[in-house]
Structures are given as structure tokens and as C-alpha cells.
């Protein structure tokens, strides 16, 4: 008999959830946030009161669909009272949408009902930050002005993108009066399955550097998707000393090189001003997965 009593008493103090902390909150509903879902934490047997600073339309709340979950669900023009009978389901959380009276924005506010094991909203004050039709018209005019300015900026960028070749480089300012030096780089070392065909070309213009080469993928190797380049400065003993650029963009006409194919690869970067004169560098070009690369060691940039 004593064991049976103990068996009944244990869940009352060990298995049942602890009391939820009551919380009072204030929400401001704005016109630009009309589609935002506001979490409303409710709990079985606990009354949650939602107070509105402006009237809502009681008929806009679908109380019939929510009735099986609530012991009490009352909606008035200025207040909504909820007392759930059960915890809110996790798989399909209920939604309450209440429409405001009048034509100002925002027109409605939506609550996503959840049951939190630790907290429950007992009082929630909802303030509608309403905008009249005149206010919305002013905001629309400002938005249109911003769109016009943005479109003008895009037009300039489109004009720059349309400029190609050496003429385009001059017109966009990428190529100035300083000389462009071109030299062939030493042989590259590649991961098995990768081969640089011929010599890479290195272009120098002020502090801009551009490396271009043709990469061939062996027929028995996996496809190669461009990733990023890395530039490392060598020390006096030819050991890697300092990472100058960790992620140089790798550009190709193709999105990927299939096994047995070749493609041109181009990297462009800018050299910092605080570099050691006559320093030598390592340039690595990696695939997207970061497990295959080609590299040049001893470059003079």
C-alpha cells in the first residue's frame, strides 16, 4: 500500500513541468511590418489578455476554427481574452489574425500561438502605429525618388559594364597612361589531374596584377569548379611568411571544367603598398572544394 502511494506521489513533484513565469509585453505594429508574425506565448489554464490601442473587428478573428484548443476565447473591439485548454501543437502552430477598424495602415496584426515551457504572456499591449492615406502617399513619393536615384546609379554601372576590350579599360579608368608590363611565369606545380598548358602570363599595371593561364583537366580526373586564389609572401629563406591575399576571385567563361577539357583561368588583384621590395611570392589557385590546386612559387610581383 505504501509503495502504491509513493508511485502516485512521485509524478506530482518530479514529473510535472514547473510553473511558467508570467510576462507582460508591449508590441508596436507598423505599416512596413504588416506581414510580420508576432509570437504569442499561451499556456493551458492561463488567461492571456491582448489589449489594443485602436479597435479591431471581432468578426475578423476565426474563433470557430480555434475553438477546439481553447476553454475561453473572447474577442471584443479593444481586447482579446484567451485561455487555452491544451498546449499549442508544434507541427501546425495556430495563427490568429485580427483586422483593425478603419482604412489606415497597417490593416491587421497576426499572432503565431506557441506554448513555451518556461514563460507565458499574461498581458500584451498592442499599439498600432497607423499611417493615413496621406502619410502613405508621402512615403510612396519618397520611395519613388529613391528608386529614380538607384536607377540612375544602375544606368551608370550598365554603361561601364558595356565597355569591353582595351577601349573599355581606358573609358572606365582601369587602364591609364602608365605602361602595362607582361611576362611569362615559371612552370606551375599542380595536383595530380591538373596541368597548366604552356606558361602563365602575368600583367602588371601600377599596383594591379592579372594572371592568366590555360588549365587542362585529365580525362580520369574529376570536374574542376573554380574556387579562390591565395597569395603568400616568401621570407629570406624561401619559407611562406605572410598571406597577402586569402581569397582572390577566380574567373572563367565556363562554370566548370569537365574531365578531358581545358579552359582559360584569370585572377586579378591589387598589391598593397607596405610590401618588402624585391620580395618573392607563392600564388595558389584552388578549386571550390579546396582539395586541388595549381601553384607558382618564387614569383616576382
Amino acid at each position: 500500500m505504501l509503495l502504491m502511494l509513493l508511485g502516485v506521489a512521485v509524478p506530482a513533484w518530479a514529473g510535472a513541468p514547473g510553473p511558467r513565469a508570467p510576462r507582460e509585453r508591449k508590441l508596436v505594429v507598423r505599416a512596413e511590418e504588416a506581414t510580420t508574425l508576432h509570437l504569442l506565448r499561451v499556456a493551458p489554464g492561463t488567461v492571456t489578455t491582448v489589449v489594443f490601442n485602436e479597435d479591431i473587428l471581432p468578426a475578423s478573428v476565426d474563433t470557430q476554427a480555434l475553438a477546439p484548443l481553447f476553454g475561453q476565447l473572447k474577442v471584443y473591439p479593444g481586447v482579446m481574452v484567451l485561455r487555452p485548454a491544451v498546449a499549442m501543437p508544434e507541427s501546425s502552430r495556430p495563427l490568429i489574425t485580427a483586422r483593425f477598424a478603419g482604412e489606415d495602415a497597417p490593416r491587421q496584426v497576426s499572432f503565431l500561438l506557441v506554448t513555451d515551457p518556461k514563460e507565458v504572456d499574461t498581458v500584451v499591449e498592442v499599439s498600432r502605429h497607423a499611417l493615413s492615406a496621406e502619410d502613405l502617399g508621402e512615403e510612396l513619393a519618397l520611395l519613388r525618388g529613391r528608386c529614380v536615384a538607384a536607377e540612375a546609379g544602375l544606368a551608370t554601372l550598365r554603361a561601364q559594364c558595356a565597355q569591353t576590350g582595351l577601349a573599355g579599360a581606358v573609358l572606365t579608368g582601369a587602364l591609364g597612361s602608365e605602361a602595362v608590363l607582361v611576362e611569362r611565369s615559371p612552370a606551375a606545380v599542380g595536383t595530380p589531374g591538373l596541368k597548366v598548358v604552356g606558361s602563365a602570363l602575368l600583367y602588371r599595371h601600377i599596383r594591379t596584377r592579372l594572371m592568366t593561364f590555360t588549365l587542362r583537366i585529365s580525362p580520369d580526373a574529376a570536374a574542376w569548379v573554380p574556387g579562390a586564389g591565395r597569395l603568400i609572401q616568401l621570407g629570406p629563406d624561401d619559407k611562406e611568411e605572410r598571406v597577402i591575399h586569402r581569397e582572390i576571385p577566380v574567373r572563367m567563361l565556363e562554370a566548370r571544367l569537365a574531365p578531358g577539357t581545358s579552359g582559360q583561368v584569370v585572377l586579378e588583384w591589387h598589391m598593397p603598398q607596405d610590401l618588402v621590395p624585391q620580395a618573392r611570392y607563392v600564388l595558389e589557385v584552388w578549386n571550390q572544394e579546396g582539395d586541388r590546386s595549381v601553384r607558382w612559387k618564387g614569383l616576382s610581383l
Side-chain angles (χ1 to χ4, degrees), residues 26-243:
K26 293 184 179 181
L27 293 177
V28 178
V29 185
R30 303 179 184 276
E32 63 271 19
E33 301 170 352
T35 59
T36 301
L37 294 179
H38 302 277
L39 285 181
L40 187 61
R41 298 169 296 185
V42 296
T46 302
V47 174
T48 294
T49 304
V50 183
V51 182
F52 301 91
N53 74 326
E54 295 189 25
D55 285 352
I56 62 171
L57 302 174
S60 65
V61 179
D62 191 353
T63 56
Q64 185 175 358
L66 298 168
L69 300 173
F70 290 87
Q72 182 182 11
L73 177 55
K74 301 293 184 181
V75 184
Y76 306 98
V79 66
M80 186 164 55
V81 180
L82 306 91
R83 181 170 58 83
V86 296
M88 297 297 104
E90 289 285 341
S91 56
S92 56
R93 290 175 171 175
L95 183 68
I96 289 182
T97 298
R99 292 181 63 85
F100 290 103
E103 298 299 323
D104 294 344
R107 296 296 307 277
Q108 64 184 36
V109 57
S110 297
F111 300 98
L112 192 63
L113 303 181
V114 299
T115 297
D116 191 297
K118 297 181 179 180
E119 296 181 337
V120 57
D121 295 326
T122 51
V123 177
V124 178
E125 297 181 20
V126 178
S127 297
R128 180 193 189 193
H129 190 270
L131 292 177
S132 64
E134 291 77 11
D135 295 330
L136 290 174
E138 292 179 3
E139 286 204 352
L140 182 59
L142 288 174
L143 183 60
R144 284 173 176 163
R146 293 173 185 169
C147 289
V148 170
E151 183 60 33
L154 289 174
T156 301
L157 291 175
R158 291 190 189 103
Q160 292 178 348
C161 292
Q163 305 299 334
T164 60
L166 290 177
V170 172
L171 290 173
T172 59
L175 185 61
S177 58
E178 293 81 0
V180 178
L181 304 178
V182 185
E183 66 180 48
R184 295 186 180 275
S185 298
V189 177
T191 303
L194 303 181
K195 181 181 179 182
V196 174
V197 180
S199 299
L201 293 180
L202 176 64
Y203 294 78
R204 303 181 189 180
H205 180 60
I206 314 177
R207 294 193 175 277
T208 299
R209 302 293 182 268
L210 186 144
M211 172 79 87
T212 176
F213 60 94
T214 300
L215 182 65
R216 179 170 179 79
I217 312 301
S218 299
D220 56 349
W224 196 83
V225 179
R230 187 169 65 160
L231 183 66
I232 306 168
Q233 181 178 310
L234 296 175
D237 53 0
D238 269 1
K239 290 186 178 180
E240 298 180 5
E241 186 176 75
R242 173 187 172 192
V243 177

